[in-house]
Amino acid sequence: MELSLLDSDERQLVEYIYNAIPAQEKNNLTADDILLVLDLMDDYLEEKGLLREDPKTGEMEYLEGEVDETEQLNYVLNALKEEGRSITGVQVQLIADAELQYGIEQGYYEEE
């Protein structure tokens, strides 16, 4: 997916994550790869009942609850393998960590 097709918030998030990943871990990692990992993380949350579409607004809504990070990582890695993608567990973890840090900086998440 071209970054130009994303809205400004999504583009800013992807750019933040990409820039947060150390050069030695980028290994041909693209914006499309980052978006895929983020989508798979959301798929996991949907399956666990922690993300749903608000029937009134159509907006996605994150619900309170505990996320098993190891289970989520394994879910994402298995889905990537099924898609034939060669994104490593380290890269997935770096994407997840950067997304969390971005969310904290933007006020979407609270630091624990």
Side-chain angles (χ1 to χ4, degrees):
M1 174 176 281
E2 291 291 322
L3 278 180
S4 62
L5 299 177
L6 301 175
D7 71 33
S8 64
D9 290 339
E10 292 170 320
R11 189 170 40 257
Q12 187 176 1
L13 170 61
V14 171
E15 289 172 355
Y16 179 95
I17 291 170
Y18 187 80
N19 291 329
I21 297 172
Q24 68 271 21
E25 292 299 335
K26 286 189 178 152
N27 299 331
N28 299 321
L29 196 65
T30 66
D32 188 46
D33 294 330
I34 292 170
L35 286 169
L36 176 59
V37 169
L38 294 174
D39 285 345
L40 292 171
M41 289 170 57
D42 280 351
D43 289 349
Y44 170 83
L45 294 175
E46 281 185 86
E47 281 191 17
K48 295 298 178 183
L50 298 172
L51 177 64
R52 69 175 176 87
E53 185 176 346
D54 184 312
K56 294 178 183 173
T57 65
E59 296 287 319
M60 296 306 287
E61 176 181 30
Y62 292 92
L63 306 172
E64 293 290 324
E66 292 295 315
V67 175
D68 183 328
E69 292 176 11
T70 301
E71 187 177 274
Q72 184 181 38
L73 176 63
N74 289 330
Y75 175 94
V76 171
L77 289 173
N78 288 333
L80 290 169
K81 185 177 180 180
E82 287 176 13
E83 294 222 7
R85 302 299 270 274
S86 60
I87 302 168
T88 69
V90 171
Q91 290 171 317
V92 171
Q93 190 61 57
L94 288 168
I95 291 168
D97 291 347
E99 189 275 337
L100 176 62
Q101 187 58 43
Y102 179 83
I104 290 169
E105 289 178 15
Q106 296 297 313
Y108 303 139
Y109 308 131
E110 292 180 15
E111 226 171 332
E112 291 184 14

